[in-house]
Amino acid sequence: MRSPEHIQIGAFTHVRGELLTFAHGGQITIGNYCYIGEQSRLWSSAHIHIGDRVLIAHLVTILDNLTHPISARARHDHYRAILEKGHPKVLDLDEQPVKICDDVWIGCSSVILKGVMIGQGAIIGAGSVVTTSIPPWTICAGNPARVIRELTQAERA
């Protein structure tokens, strides 16, 4: 994995999990007053952006890439390269940035996949798998995650 200059953490943010960038790329930016729970992992080879006041519970995984090539041959070559020479410096993992807007809460054991934007104030229920973007001020849950309901004006304060 790459050096820590590709990871930026805002003021008053606590990270109890792991922030990882791949050898061929990746960037993680985390805003102010955020929390990343124990055993959560952010794996970036493109860009994972987390806004301000975001709460990420324990055991959450956030990926902005496929982690391995789709083709069996390329996947095996990738695996062998890691074993023999370390992570490749050039690799196509269909990277797509992830953006988590301000005031989002992600429940424990959720998975956020590449290309997703989670809108401001959204709540992701525990154990959800988020495969598409989530509108702001909604509660979403399930596999794949679906909108359960919109937050009321009082709940948005």
Side-chain angles (χ1 to χ4, degrees), residues 77-146:
D77 291 346
H78 178 218
Y79 175 69
R80 287 193 59 186
I82 291 169
L83 291 178
E84 296 167 2
K85 300 176 265 183
H87 249 281
K89 301 281 188 221
V90 177
L91 186 61
D92 179 9
L93 297 176
D94 192 22
E95 292 86 354
Q96 296 177 38
V98 170
K99 183 175 182 181
I100 298 172
C101 296
D102 296 346
D103 303 303
V104 166
W105 171 23
I106 300 174
C108 66
S109 301
S110 293
V111 178
I112 313 300
L113 297 178
K114 65 183 178 73
V116 164
M117 183 180 85
I118 300 177
Q120 182 178 8
I123 298 172
I124 308 300
S128 296
V129 178
V130 181
T131 61
T132 60
S133 293
I134 301 297
W137 306 113
T138 57
I139 297 176
C140 299
N143 179 7
R146 299 187 195 291

Side-chain angles (χ1 to χ4, degrees), residues 9-77:
I9 301 171
F12 307 104
T13 289
H14 294 271
V15 178
R16 304 284 187 237
E18 295 178 275
L19 310 175
L20 306 161
T21 59
F22 282 71
H24 70 284
Q27 181 176 3
I28 299 171
T29 56
I30 304 172
N32 299 319
Y33 291 97
C34 295
Y35 178 81
I36 309 228
E38 294 86 359
Q39 299 183 48
S40 288
R41 291 191 174 123
L42 282 62
W43 297 77
S44 178
S45 61
H47 188 198
I48 297 173
H49 172 85
I50 296 174
D52 295 329
R53 300 171 304 280
V54 172
L55 299 179
I56 298 174
H58 55 283
L59 295 167
V60 171
T61 299
I62 301 173
L63 306 163
D64 64 8
N65 62 84
L66 294 173
T67 69
H68 297 285
I70 291 290
S71 113
R73 177 64 188 207
R75 190 167 51 248
H76 178 68
D77 291 346

